[in-house]
Amino acid sequence: MIPQFETQIKAALSPGAVLCVNSENPSQDPFDAFLQNVRKASPFLCRLIDQSKDRLPRILSASAENGFQDLWPQGIEGENGAEAKKRLRQARADMALAIALADVSGVWQLEDVVGALSHFADLCIEQALQAAWQDVLLLRGLKFRDAPPSSPLGLIIVGMGKLGAQELNYSSDIDLVAIYDPHPFGIHEQSRVDARGVAIKTVQAMVDILSQQTEDGFVFRTDLRLRPNPSTTGVAVSLPSAERYYQEYGQNWERAAYIKARVCAGNKELGAAFLKLMHPFTWRRTLDYGAVADIHAVKKQIHAEKGVQHLQVRGGNIKLGPGGIREIEFFAQTQQLLFGGRYEGLQTPKTVEALDILAQTEHITPEIASGLKQAYAFLRNLEHRLQMREDCQTQTIPDQDDAVAAIALLMNEKNIDHFLETTRAHLLFVHNAYAELFETPEPTSPVPGSLVFTGVEDDPRTIETLTSLGFADPSIITSRIRRWHQAGLRATRSVRARELLTDLVPRILTKLSELDDPQGAFTALDAFLTALPGGFQAFALFTAHPEVLDDILVICQSSPELAAKMAQRPSLIEGLLEGSDISPPDFPAPQPDDILEDRLDTVRRVVNEHRIRVGASLALGRADPHKVSLALSNTADRAIKDLIGAVRADIETPPEGDLAVLGFGRLGVRGLTPLSDLDLVFVYDPPNGQMDHEKGFTRLIRRIVNALSVPTTEGPLYEIDMKLRPSGGAGPTVVSLPAFYQYYQQKAWVWEEMALTKARVVLADGEMGEKLDTLVDNALVQPRDRHEVFQAVGEMRQRLLREKPPKSPLDVKRLRGGLIDIDFLVQGMSLIHGHELGRLPRNNVEALTILMNADKISRDDAEILCEAYVAYEALIQYVRATFGDNPPGYLSALRARRLSQLSSNWNEDDVPSQVVDYSAAVAAIFNKIIHPPGDKTTLKG
């Protein structure tokens, strides 16, 4: 006859044990004292006892020898989800109390407890699956080829982790992977719901039955994140998809997860076939260099230090903290991965068995195996008692004395101090063994702490490390890095690419921590990696030349948009090895079979790649801003000439006559930035003075402007601005040479003459260049009234300040005393003094030098303006490369340092204050010359 549970408890209890003694009533019966102490130490178990008067008697009359079969949930054929929810929750309450009493009383040992929990979970999952199937059969439009099967034959539910190893803890989540085969379902071709939909609906309903919180509680919290690529797949994954994923993208941590995989519900025959399919993936007989390196890369990221003096017991996590359960499991699993393919004995899901076999095969000493096994048993028992206090999935020892005392009581420990000392001793032993296996990084290692991104849960020490590195939201970092490892990017599709990236992660994170905004820089890096068409070559380059990786990280932080563009052109990443090459590119010669669209793409590709190289050089603080301006302008000149030639060649009958292109603004002075548009004016000279060619040239210019501005598959080229042509937007898009001359002789406004001081012939047919240069020179050396010019300059400046105020304190183009003030001042003085000095150079510094030498401006003022102009140009180039068209309000210390590397005119300590000083000095000179006090005739010159 099988003894009742009450008899078994009484036989197991030691009369002198702490749990058997009521301190307030020492003479109380040991069994009654035991129940009273359990109620006192565990509010959850107390509630279970009080919820139902017949629960405790029912449990005590059952038997632990057969695993409480009398309390097992009995499957009911045809039961739906709602019915199963209530029945399974009631069974779970009975089993939770029975298992807890068997555990703390000593009737059961650890292996009995975890085995019963795992067996009960299997029963619940199977019955929930069957009930879910009954609900899914009611889906509208679901049709089968024959009669609906009585169970979901196409589904298998694989238990992972502790459930798979039959080592489930007391209040554990259950890790499941749902795999389906479409064929056994027998879904009709005309069904509105296909096999995938049926599988997903069934799994969703099963999870709801198990995990939904109702008035009766829950059965098991269910986690499906161990399935292939969980961020992009449904809750059920097809067998072919799973096979393809693990063959192509499976990672070492997933191999480790499948060490414990076991089919716990569904079609067992299909499940056995799946696990047989997974066996070569999990247990590789030989590991290539990359796989071994990947495992060691993970090991290198674990910051383990022997003899941890600050090892935390109170408030410590006995699963994830130093010396915890995870370290014992990881200790065993990494060696199982390395050696299990050759030693079949190591192919066990159970941690204790793996430790024994590692000792037998002399991979670890018997002493280490024994110590780890003892610690594992102690910590797992402690884990159960922490969880049975409030049925919470916790592994954290509380801080409060009364809570620690309750745990110590459930552990049958005599006092708190002894309990804490024993716990600490086990944790220290485990961590020392772990640290010896996972050697502490060398002092020069970039790893500042543990950086582990395996599995689907955040490692708390990794979160702590990321927080210390300055990342504002470490959980986002961990989830994105896991996505990298799970082949969620094109760049990480290959096994070798993922192995290389794993080894690079510590350097990436430590280098990002040195930047202004580590979190923002990481987001930009993630976008960069997402845009990479492939990763192996780039990651191999970063491994061989880590300085290139460092540059990419700086570019990600400085200009995320620029980084994304570089990712789309991997050859530019390799170009960083060659230093800062900003020289104007050569355009490849046209091919005989090229059409105009081909040429548009070619020119855009060459120009855009040059822009990216220039932008990268500026962002890294490695380019001369003046040389950048010249390079960008020369590139634009070449692009204009190339595409005008291509357009003309594409026209069957181009208009007769000569054409010239004038560049104004930044193009005119060869001062382009990476974001500059092109100010263009088109002038034609009709043959023999005939004026009936305007329509032909208008059509030609329209095609030229389209060729220069319309985006293609290679992106945009330039924005074209033609408002500076005679009569502005109201005038024709192309103007004849005589009309151009007449306009500037008779009709041009002062502001148009100011703009003309920057004009430059970019392209010209025949003698058109000389003709235009003569016309412009003549127009700029006419006598002018100083008062009229300066009044127009002042009014124009005031108007721009009203209509286009500065966007930020560092908008040195628009702010008062900024670049526009210098431009307007030099342009006005060029118009006034052109009659005497001839046409002044387009470049402001050269023009100011001539004006100073001619005594038209004081040396002090000229030097201040020149210094401010050079400084402003460097700042604009840097800001355009890093912030685009929206200048910031300030520059961080790192950005200011890079700006100071571009130009010695900037001090990295306080750029905003320097801007204030420059702008105040420029504004004062502008006002002194444009708006002098007293008699305007006293103005110098």
Side-chain angles (χ1 to χ4, degrees):
M1 181 176 178
I2 299 177
Q4 290 186 341
F5 186 31
E6 180 176 351
T7 304
Q8 293 170 300
I9 293 177
K10 290 178 178 178
L13 290 174
S14 171
V18 177
L19 272 169
C20 300
V21 177
N22 183 346
S23 58
E24 298 175 0
N25 182 11
S27 63
Q28 186 178 17
D29 177 75
F31 177 72
D32 293 337
F34 165 74
L35 291 178
Q36 185 170 330
N37 281 329
V38 168
R39 290 171 64 97
K40 174 184 175 183
S42 171
F44 170 64
L45 296 178
C46 183
R47 289 195 298 271
L48 289 181
I49 294 171
D50 293 342
Q51 278 172 1
S52 174
K53 291 183 179 180
D54 66 343
R55 176 171 288 144
L56 182 60
R58 185 171 64 251
I59 289 169
L60 293 177
S61 64
S63 174
E65 284 195 356
N66 60 11
F68 298 112
Q69 289 184 13
D70 296 340
L71 306 177
W72 288 352
Q74 303 302 315
I76 300 175
E77 187 175 351
E79 183 181 45
N80 63 28
E83 295 165 341
K85 277 184 183 179
K86 189 168 188 66
R87 184 176 57 78
L88 291 177
R89 280 156 179 74
Q90 291 171 345
R92 194 262 177 174
D94 287 352
M95 288 296 291
L97 180 57
I99 292 173
L101 294 178
D103 187 359
V104 297
S105 66
V107 171
W108 277 356
Q109 299 303 306
L110 176 63
E111 56 269 23
D112 302 313
V113 175
V114 297
L117 287 166
S118 302
H119 180 72
F120 176 69
D122 288 354
L123 290 173
C124 291
I125 295 166
E126 183 63 57
Q127 292 177 30
L129 180 64
Q130 298 303 326
W133 180 245
Q134 296 304 313
D135 289 346
V136 168
L137 289 177
L138 301 178
L139 287 174
R140 287 182 58 190
L142 176 59
K143 294 182 180 180
F144 294 89
R145 288 191 293 271
D146 301 308
S150 60
S151 62
L153 297 177
L155 259 175
I156 58 172
I157 306 300
V158 181
M160 308 290 285
K162 288 186 170 63
L163 173 62
Q166 296 184 304
E167 297 177 336
L168 205 61
N169 60 52
Y170 186 79
S171 188
S172 179
D173 283 3
I174 51 174
D175 294 303
L176 304 178
V177 172
I179 305 292
Y180 72 93
D181 185 344
H183 302 294
F185 280 117
I187 306 296
H188 196 282
E189 290 76 9
Q190 295 179 355
S191 176
R192 289 179 56 187
V193 187
D194 61 7
R196 178 178 182 274
V198 167
I200 288 175
K201 291 289 186 182
T202 305
V203 172
Q204 288 172 336
M206 179 195 73
V207 170
D208 178 68
I209 292 169
L210 291 171
S211 61
Q212 185 190 35
Q213 183 76 37
T214 72
E215 61 182 6
D216 298 311
F218 62 92
V219 187
F220 286 100
R221 306 174 193 90
T222 305
D223 193 335
L224 297 168
R225 289 177 297 168
L226 286 177
R227 68 186 185 273
N229 207 0
S231 62
T232 60
T233 56
V235 293
V237 181
S238 73
L239 188 57
S241 295
E243 181 180 7
R244 183 170 59 253
Y245 172 84
Y246 290 117
Q247 283 180 351
E248 297 180 8
Y249 308 126
Q251 302 167 66
N252 277 319
W253 74 263
E254 288 172 307
R255 292 175 54 223
Y258 268 89
I259 291 175
K260 296 181 180 292
R262 176 178 60 86
V263 176
C264 59
N267 188 327
K268 299 296 178 65
E269 184 179 346
L270 183 63
F274 171 69
L275 291 186
K276 184 177 181 181
L277 190 72
M278 293 298 297
H279 190 272
F281 166 73
T282 309
W283 304 110
R284 293 164 65 173
R285 289 196 60 80
T286 58
L287 291 177
D288 57 36
Y289 171 80
V292 175
D294 188 47
I295 295 171
H296 286 293
V298 173
K299 290 171 63 173
K300 282 197 300 183
Q301 294 172 31
I302 298 171
H303 189 83
E305 183 180 358
K306 293 183 70 173
V308 180
Q309 298 303 312
H310 59 275
L311 189 144
Q312 189 175 4
V313 180
R314 284 179 181 263
N317 189 309
I318 63 164
K319 175 184 177 182
L320 302 176
I325 297 166
R326 176 68 59 83
E327 289 191 355
I328 302 173
E329 293 171 337
F330 203 67
F331 182 100
Q333 287 172 358
T334 51
Q335 294 178 93
Q336 284 180 279
L337 286 182
L338 287 171
F339 310 118
R342 284 167 287 171
Y343 300 99
E344 289 190 9
L346 278 172
Q347 297 175 14
T348 173
K350 296 185 179 297
T351 303
V352 170
E353 289 181 6
L355 292 171
D356 280 336
I357 298 166
L358 284 170
Q360 293 169 17
T361 54
E362 299 184 350
H363 288 103
I364 60 176
T365 66
E367 293 75 19
I368 290 292
S370 175
L372 291 178
K373 285 162 55 182
Q374 292 177 39
Y376 184 74
F378 179 88
L379 295 175
R380 289 300 310 275
N381 283 324
L382 175 55
E383 177 184 40
H384 291 168
R385 284 145 181 78
L386 290 171
Q387 294 179 351
M388 67 178 62
R389 281 264 295 160
E390 282 292 357
D391 193 26
C392 292
Q393 190 194 14
T394 181
Q395 288 89 14
T396 301
I397 297 175
D399 260 334
Q400 302 82 1
D401 284 345
D402 57 344
V404 175
I407 299 299
L409 179 63
L410 291 173
M411 290 290 288
N412 211 17
E413 289 280 357
K414 294 182 179 180
N415 59 65
I416 292 177
D417 290 341
H418 184 266
F419 160 65
L420 294 176
E421 288 172 8
T422 303
T423 304
R424 179 181 175 81
H426 283 302
L427 294 174
L428 192 57
F429 181 90
V430 170
H431 193 65
N432 282 343
Y434 185 73
E436 191 170 320
L437 181 67
F438 298 92
E439 295 179 6
T440 305
E442 295 298 323
T444 56
S445 170
V447 184
S450 290
L451 291 170
V452 180
F453 303 97
T454 57
V456 294
E457 294 180 342
D458 287 343
D459 180 88
R461 280 178 284 176
T462 297
I463 295 294
E464 182 181 337
T465 300
L466 292 172
T467 302
S468 70
L469 288 173
F471 292 98
D473 194 340
S475 62
I476 290 180
I477 307 296
T478 57
S479 67
R480 299 305 290 180
I481 292 178
R482 279 198 291 269
R483 180 170 175 257
W484 298 353
H485 292 335
Q486 290 168 347
L489 313 177
R490 286 177 298 177
T492 58
R493 294 287 168 84
S494 74
V495 173
R496 185 57 181 144
R498 293 194 298 275
E499 291 167 350
L500 289 170
L501 183 57
T502 298
D503 207 27
L504 290 169
V505 164
R507 184 182 184 94
I508 287 172
L509 295 173
T510 51
K511 289 296 181 180
L512 288 177
S513 73
E514 299 170 3
L515 303 178
D516 300 322
D517 175 15
Q519 189 81 29
F522 179 87
T523 299
L525 173 65
D526 184 61
F528 169 85
L529 295 178
T530 301
L532 274 177
F536 171 72
Q537 294 297 335
F539 300 151
L541 173 65
F542 295 156
T543 301
H545 299 280
E547 69 276 11
V548 175
L549 172 61
D550 297 347
D551 286 348
I552 288 294
L553 298 179
V554 169
I555 293 170
C556 284
Q557 181 262 333
S558 300
S559 178
E561 183 179 352
L562 179 62
K565 291 177 180 177
M566 289 194 75
Q568 294 166 2
R569 293 173 166 84
S571 62
L572 298 180
I573 301 173
E574 297 177 16
L576 292 173
L577 273 175
E578 303 169 4
S580 299
D581 179 17
I582 62 170
S583 57
D586 294 321
F587 294 93
Q591 300 301 307
D593 56 348
D594 278 356
I595 59 175
L596 179 59
E597 286 71 19
D598 295 330
R599 199 62 194 166
L600 299 186
D601 281 340
T602 297
V603 171
R604 279 159 176 73
R605 184 182 68 254
V606 172
V607 171
N608 286 330
E609 288 185 355
H610 181 249
R611 279 202 191 104
I612 294 170
R613 286 199 303 273
V614 166
S617 297
L618 289 168
L620 294 168
R622 295 176 185 164
D624 181 324
H626 178 62
K627 291 181 179 178
V628 164
S629 297
L630 290 176
L632 289 169
S633 302
N634 289 335
T635 300
D637 285 1
R638 295 180 185 183
I640 291 169
K641 294 171 184 176
D642 190 292
L643 289 181
I644 287 179
V647 169
R648 279 177 151 172
D650 192 59
I651 298 175
E652 292 185 7
T653 55
E656 297 182 32
D658 293 332
L659 176 69
V661 181
L662 280 172
F664 283 69
R666 283 192 168 272
L667 179 63
V669 300
R670 299 185 186 276
L672 291 186
T673 73
L675 297 181
S676 292
D677 58 10
L678 302 183
D679 293 298
L680 300 180
V681 172
F682 296 91
V683 183
Y684 73 98
D685 190 12
N688 302 320
Q690 299 174 15
M691 301 307 294
D692 58 350
H693 292 273
E694 181 177 334
K695 289 183 179 180
F697 274 102
T698 298
R699 288 193 295 269
L700 173 63
I701 298 311
R702 186 181 300 119
R703 294 194 64 180
I704 290 172
V705 170
N706 283 338
L708 290 169
S709 60
V710 172
T712 72
T713 55
E714 290 290 341
L717 187 58
Y718 296 105
E719 289 188 22
I720 305 301
D721 190 339
M722 296 193 294
K723 292 193 297 290
L724 292 176
R725 66 185 185 271
S727 300
T733 56
V734 60
V735 62
S736 68
L737 189 62
F740 183 87
Y741 172 76
Q742 183 181 20
Y743 185 84
Y744 279 100
Q745 287 293 322
Q746 302 174 8
K747 300 179 181 180
W749 297 83
V750 172
W751 69 265
E752 291 177 302
E753 295 175 323
M754 291 166 60
L756 193 64
T757 64
K758 306 299 185 187
R760 174 175 64 87
V761 176
V762 174
L763 175 148
D765 297 330
E767 298 178 355
M768 274 283 285
E770 294 178 10
K771 292 179 181 179
L772 271 174
D773 278 336
T774 300
L775 289 179
V776 172
D777 288 349
N778 288 338
L780 293 177
V781 297
Q782 299 299 313
R784 289 176 174 82
D785 180 77
R786 287 175 298 173
H787 173 69
E788 179 183 338
V789 171
F790 282 153
Q791 183 177 15
V793 170
E795 290 174 354
M796 187 66 183
R797 185 67 188 106
Q798 290 302 319
R799 179 182 171 186
L800 282 181
L801 283 170
R802 289 193 305 270
E803 296 178 357
K804 295 183 178 182
K807 298 178 180 179
S808 79
L810 295 188
D811 188 356
V812 294
K813 175 183 176 181
R814 297 182 177 186
L815 60 78
R816 191 70 178 93
L819 197 57
I820 290 178
D821 290 63
I822 299 174
D823 281 339
F824 278 18
L825 182 58
V826 174
Q827 290 166 11
M829 296 182 75
S830 295
L831 292 178
I832 292 171
H833 302 296
H835 180 65
E836 177 184 351
L837 301 178
R839 180 180 178 180
L840 269 67
R842 302 175 188 88
N843 180 274
N844 284 337
V845 172
E846 295 174 5
L848 285 167
T849 301
I850 291 175
L851 289 168
M852 178 188 68
N853 291 335
D855 204 24
K856 305 302 181 184
I857 186 173
S858 71
R859 177 175 294 276
D860 288 344
D861 288 350
E863 289 178 349
I864 290 173
L865 292 174
C866 288
E867 181 180 345
Y869 174 77
V870 171
Y872 286 162
E873 281 294 303
L875 180 58
I876 284 178
Q877 289 285 7
Y878 179 72
V879 166
R880 293 281 174 86
T882 54
F883 291 95
D885 279 328
N886 296 304
Y890 74 99
L891 289 182
S892 66
L894 288 174
R895 292 180 187 273
R897 185 178 309 140
R898 294 186 199 111
L899 174 62
S900 69
Q901 292 169 352
L902 295 176
S903 170
S904 60
N905 289 22
W906 291 106
N907 185 321
E908 64 182 270
D909 293 335
D910 193 355
V911 172
S913 294
Q914 288 180 269
V915 170
V916 170
D917 292 342
Y918 276 132
S919 59
V922 171
I925 297 170
F926 184 92
N927 287 333
K928 179 172 64 176
I929 295 176
I930 302 299
H931 306 293
D935 185 0
K936 294 184 176 57
T937 59
T938 61
L939 183 64
K940 195 172 214 179

